[in-house]
């Protein structure tokens, strides 16, 4: 292509982009490809990938896997990575990938807009991993079911130990559910480890099911369970669909988990991966899940708006969680082994 023909094509593309309402990338290298391992809901993967592709003229593909599956793939593909970036999933497995030497170093300038509560964590681990969303833990109840049983709604974790909740509580199994492990680590931070396990042993008497996923809130919506322990945004979504479900922030303190994004070491498209990390840290990208994908995680960018039925993330009284401790492979294995032995009796 001659210089004149190339210029003509560029001008046509610029005019088309202006007409469609998006801009050309600022740098000439903002083209080519990007492959994303995605660990959020499929629709969110699709919408975020499309928005990035459109904005930066990058051919973007995503492959949706659970957090644990992606971590396994990164280990298996260490010498020949098949993706460039890991988007979504809880923070702790990203830390495990870091410890295994599977992540590239990149500290995005957009990290300056992450909520100040996480400044220390960003300083410690932000060279490989960025915090992109927040999910606060709560107690979900089916109001209709509790009303029929004449049971007062719980306001605290301690309330779930009352005898009237026997066989009414659903808890995600921490062996297979990141949500279940987040609840376990939250209780440890609130009560101390030994008292947390005493609590879980007592709670076991009221459990009707240990689910394989923290997102198994359908049982709560239908009334097949009256109480569920999971993330608040799941209860808001079920309520929006018309279920008699409400989420309660426990009186002892608000635990939570963080969603993360990291660049995969030795990926083929490093510059586009950096650009993608910058993008998912932006307020624009962090509003896509709830605006377009029926996914209600709270944004961590201080300039992003949250779903109107969720609390302002800046006003939440969050407990301190040692993500580095709970994100360590050895510590996670120890705590889950203790849970299996002392709570489940296995």
């Amino acid at each position: 292509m001659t210089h004149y023909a190339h210029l003509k094509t560029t001008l046509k593309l610029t005019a088309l982009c202006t007409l469609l309402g998006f801009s050309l990338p600022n740098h000439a290298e903002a083209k080519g490809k990007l492959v994303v391992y995605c660990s959020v809901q499929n629709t969110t993967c699709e919408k975020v990938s499309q928005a990035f592709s459109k904005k930066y003229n990058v051919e973007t593909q995503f492959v949706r896997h659970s957090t644990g599956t992606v971590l396994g793939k990164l280990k298996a593909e260490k010498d020949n990575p098949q993706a460039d970036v890991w988007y979504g999933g809880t923070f702790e497995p990203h830390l495990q990938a870091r410890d295994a030497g599977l992540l590239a170093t990149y500290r995005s300038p957009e990290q300056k807009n992450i909520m100040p509560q996480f400044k220390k964590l960003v300083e410690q681990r932000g060279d490989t991993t960025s915090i992109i969303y927040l999910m606060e833990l709560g107690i979900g109840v089916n109001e209709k079911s509790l009303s029929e049983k004449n049971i007062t709604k719980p306001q605290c974790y301690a309330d779930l130990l009352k005898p009237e909740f026997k066989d009414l509580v659903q808890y995600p199994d921490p062996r297979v559910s990141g949500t279940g492990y987040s609840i376990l680590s939250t209780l440890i931070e609130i009560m101390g480890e030994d008292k947390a396990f005493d609590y879980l042993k007592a709670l076991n008497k009221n459990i009707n099911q240990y689910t394989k996923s923290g997102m198994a809130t359908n049982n709560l919506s239908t009334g097949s369970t009256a109480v569920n322990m999971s993330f608040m945004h799941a209860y808001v979504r079920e309520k929006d669909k018309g279920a008699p479900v409400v989420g309660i922030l426990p009186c002892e303190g608000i635990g939570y988990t963080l969603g993360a994004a990291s660049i995969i070491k030795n990926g083929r498209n490093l510059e586009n991966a950096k650009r993608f990390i910058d993008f998912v840290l932006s307020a624009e990208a962090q509003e896509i899940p709830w605006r377009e994908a029926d996914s209600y995680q709270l944004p961590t960018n201080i300039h992003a708006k949250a779903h109107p039925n969720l609390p302002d993330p800046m006003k939440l009284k969050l407990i301190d969680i040692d993500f580095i401790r709970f994100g360590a492979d050895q510590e996670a294995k120890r705590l889950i082994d203790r849970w299996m032995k002392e709570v489940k009796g296995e």
Side-chain angles (χ1 to χ4, degrees), residues 279 281-288 301 303-305:
F279 176 68
L281 281 167
S282 71
E284 168 196 358
Q286 290 191 14
E287 291 180 14
I288 290 173
N301 184 307
H303 304 297
K305 293 179 181 177

Side-chain angles (χ1 to χ4, degrees), residues 18-36:
T18 302
L19 182 65
L20 293 176
F22 62 95
S23 59
L24 278 170
N26 295 325
H27 306 286
E29 66 268 28
K31 57 185 179 182
K33 297 182 178 182
L34 186 76
V35 179
V36 180

Side-chain angles (χ1 to χ4, degrees), residues 112-280:
K112 67 181 183 292
N113 294 318
I114 293 174
M115 292 166 60
Q117 291 98 317
F118 307 123
K119 181 181 179 183
K120 183 179 178 182
L121 188 57
V122 170
E123 287 174 351
Q124 291 173 319
R125 294 294 183 266
D127 57 336
T128 60
T129 302
S130 290
I131 300 166
I132 55 171
Y133 58 81
L134 164 71
M135 298 190 295
E136 77 277 38
L137 287 164
I139 301 168
V141 300
N142 185 303
E143 291 184 298
K144 181 181 177 183
S145 180
L146 288 186
S147 177
E148 289 171 351
K149 294 176 173 62
N150 198 29
I151 298 174
T152 303
K153 286 185 290 188
Q155 298 301 315
C156 310
Y157 286 123
D159 292 337
L160 300 182
L161 301 184
K162 293 176 179 178
E164 56 261 42
F165 288 103
K166 184 171 176 60
D167 295 328
L168 297 182
V169 182
Q170 180 177 279
Y171 182 111
D173 188 329
R175 290 174 292 185
V176 293
S177 166
T179 307
Y181 185 68
S182 293
I183 296 169
L184 175 59
S185 58
T186 291
L187 294 172
I188 290 171
E189 290 286 24
I190 290 172
M191 304 175 184
E193 185 174 326
D194 289 341
K195 287 185 178 179
F197 275 93
D198 288 342
Y199 171 83
L200 290 167
K201 282 184 278 188
L203 181 67
N204 187 58
K205 299 171 185 175
N206 289 346
I207 297 292
N208 60 33
Q209 184 184 14
Y210 288 104
T211 60
K212 293 182 179 179
S213 169
M215 294 294 101
T217 50
N218 186 55
N219 291 340
L220 188 68
S221 298
T222 61
S224 57
T225 192
V227 181
N228 171 273
M229 300 170 76
S230 187
F231 293 118
M232 287 291 290
H233 73 274
Y235 307 134
V236 174
R237 187 173 64 242
E238 295 297 333
K239 186 173 183 178
D240 282 355
K241 291 177 181 177
V245 168
V246 66
I248 298 160
L249 292 170
C251 72
E252 293 94 343
I254 304 171
Y256 56 95
T257 192
L258 298 170
S262 305
I263 295 175
I264 299 166
K265 191 173 182 179
N266 298 324
R268 297 182 177 91
N269 302 290
L270 179 59
E271 291 307 310
N272 284 336
K274 291 178 179 180
R275 196 166 283 107
F276 184 84
I277 296 296
D278 294 344
F279 176 68
V280 298

